[in-house]
Amino acid sequence: MSDLVVGRCPLSPRDLQSYRLEQRNRAPRGRSGVHRHRRRGQSLDFREHTAYAPGDDFRHIDWRATARRGRPRQLQDLLVRRYDADEQLTLLISLDNRRTMAPEPRPALKWQAACWLLEAAATMALGGRDRVYLHRLFGPAVRKPVAGSVGDVRRFIADSSRELAAVDAPPELRSLQGLLPPSAVWLIVTDLYFDDPQGRLAAAIRRTLRGPRGVLVVELDSWPHERASIAGGARRVEGPGRDVPVEVVADPDLLAAVGERIESHRRQWLKKAARPGFEHSRWEWEETEKITDPAFAAFFTERFRGDEHLGNLFRRGR
Amino acid sequence: MIPFVLALGALAGLVVLHMLRPFFVPKVVSAARFFRQEDEEASAERRPTLTIPWRSRPFYVQTAAFACLVAALWPQGCRSEGERLGVWLLLDTSASMSTRQAEGRRFDLARAQMERVLDDLGAVGVPVRFHLSTFDEVVTTQGTCLEAEEVRQALGRITERALGTDLAGLRGVLEAPSGPLRPTESSSCPLTHRLVVSDLPAPDWIGELGPEVVWLDVATPVPNAGFVSLVPVRHLLSGKVKAVEVSARTFGSVPGATLKLEDGGGRSVFEQVIDWGGDGSWSRRFELAPGRYVLTIAPGGAYGYDDRAEIEVPADAGAPPRVGRLEELAAAEPVSEPWLVLGRGYGGPEAPIGLFDQRSPLLGGLNLDVAARAGIAGVSLPDGFEPVLTGLGGDGDVWIALRRKPRAVLVPGLPRGSDDGVGRFSARAAANALRWLAAGRPPPALYTLTSAREPEPGGTRLALHPGEGKTDHEPSSRGAMADLRSVRTASKVTHWRRWLAGAVALFLLEQSLLGWWGGWR
């Protein structure tokens, strides 16, 4: 797998910065889910005015603003100044690094999309001064998970690209301890093709969601593209997780059956992992046989910018 | 019928093979683990149905490739007859083609004849290609695989040359064409017919070349008179040209033909109406001093190149023989001039003759009895010499010997000058030797002949090629233009290579599509 080459992310740091600012000024949709709740606190950064509530510090009442609204008749008419808390949030990004993410050295589109997503999300978080941890979902633990710069992120990608884990490798969860403090968000980038027979990963997600944390699984679904490339004749299908190739006539019935198996597999796992606070995005490839590099870059950009769950990560909570 | 059945059977086999065992295109996918063994089994159950090969695009390409292969190997399909003509046109450009006859110059008539052939074959209705050659002293290829229009253009550029005709060379080329004219089955321009247009009668050997060789003779008898040969007559010993033997000939009646001989200054040396002999020949010897002379016959008849001849009678007879002893010859080697080599002389004890070459001109008129009494002292046979007269000692006792190249003669000694038998023997032996040496000298050139390298006559370069002025023969052709049309079946065009190439191309196309376009199947 030493031939795995990850191209440069189509979203430049400048694009990501402007996207982050754009998201920051938008309110999150809904109250639940993986929202980055910046707590109201005591920093010097003014955030907003709110109505007075019992227990609010009288020192924070903004008399001038209150006066501009007219004479206050009750306590709730008083406007209180709110400030951003200075708390540093944590984003843990877990990368599915099994061989199904890159069945062939090139074009390893799925692996490329995963690495781009990791780089873009980490870059945006680092731009917001959040703490970023990087984690490989399978195989040995990352020696130094914290990423202080975009360079650390790219080194992580390069290290991960050197050798992918076996398809049946168990999830590496031990190193997660201490990486998911309260208010942390766990972003998992995967194709959901892994087996989790003992439910360890799903259990870890459930445990994570017991506290004030969020989990977002971004599923990279390349099956439509692979289906288009297989369809139409006699095929000797081989790939990760299959020791002996299988010879089939890839007619629509057969492909529908395979698609149903994939769907069932992912549904079962999602069902095990789903709890309040768990969110899931599915990035479905286009059903075309060939995907050019520019088209794939456009596909990634569109999905990244259009993903509401990802966008919520960088919006202000209320 | 049998090949047809075999082909159908093989085609059916291909269909069944496709149904039972299609070619599985390798595909590497990340979802491979979701394909299961039962998928393979389910596919196998569905595979032997008629619909599966029809659905496969490669099946059609493979079937087409197979059809090409069958066509290539089909015994009758390999060849198709009578589809193309390839005519090799050979046009005579020798000097005689300049002869004027009632219809015009023979070369123009021949060219018109060729253009008629082009028109005629253009109406045959099958593709025709032409090869064009000219012949005189050499056969020259003017173009191969030409269209009729290209031949017309080439004919416009060709004219006759003041050269003779090498019929033996023409025969060799016709029998065994070389280069692009070599007949091969794969040639895109086959050679099916040969057409010779000349003013010579069809030679006897033309019939041996087969029915597809046509010889058209455009000549009609016309009168001509002209020189046939101009031969120098040399002094026996000095080798100097002392006279010129002029021979002329008339073909048909040329009344009043007069020969004029003028020297280089234009002064008339001789002028006389030629009195032709019964066979039409005439000759006369002219004693001429060294210098340039112009001979003309007027009127000269239909052919012009033999009506005038300019010659140069040389003053120099060439290098005289050198006289010296054997040692002097050995010291002067290598030599180019003739040598009269002197032996050890006469006057010794009498010695019987050992060997003698009675046919040798060196012994002409010699009294060999005198030789035995002349006391000739023999010498060892020098290198390169042949013994002519020896004593009993053979090659170690040589009296007279000769060397052919460069010429040299060994004689016992100079003439004795006495009037006895030995004196006469010695004088005769020396004279024989000098005559033989003189005869070996190259003849002085009165003129040179035009050649393929220098085809233009001028000065003493003449076009007196033998036979060119013979203008009185009756036309004699072999075959006719109609023969070119009637033997169309001689053309056989092979197609199997094309079919085979098509099969290979389709196979490569299918494989390429597999490689470049995974969804091809």
Side-chain angles (χ1 to χ4, degrees), chain A residues 62-103:
Chain A
D62 190 336
W63 296 108
R64 286 190 178 179
T66 303
R68 280 198 288 273
R69 298 180 63 191
R71 176 187 287 269
R73 300 183 184 278
Q74 51 187 346
L75 281 176
Q76 284 82 356
D77 291 339
L78 298 174
L79 291 177
V80 178
R81 294 171 67 90
R82 303 292 183 190
Y83 299 89
D84 271 341
D86 234 358
E87 182 181 356
Q88 191 180 36
L89 299 185
T90 300
L91 177 63
L92 167 65
I93 307 177
S94 286
L95 180 64
D96 184 347
N97 59 325
R98 288 166 311 109
R99 293 213 172 93
T100 60
M101 295 293 285

Side-chain angles (χ1 to χ4, degrees), chain B residues 93 133 204 206 227 411:
Chain B
T93 52
S133 296
D204 296 337
I206 203 73
F227 296 107
V411 292

Side-chain angles (χ1 to χ4, degrees), chain A residues 186-207:
Chain A
W186 187 6
L187 172 62
I188 301 172
V189 185
T190 178
D191 59 3
L192 291 185
Y193 284 180
F194 54 77
D195 283 327
D196 190 15
Q198 296 164 345
R200 291 176 56 204
L201 182 58
I205 290 172
R206 288 197 302 272
R207 276 197 306 276

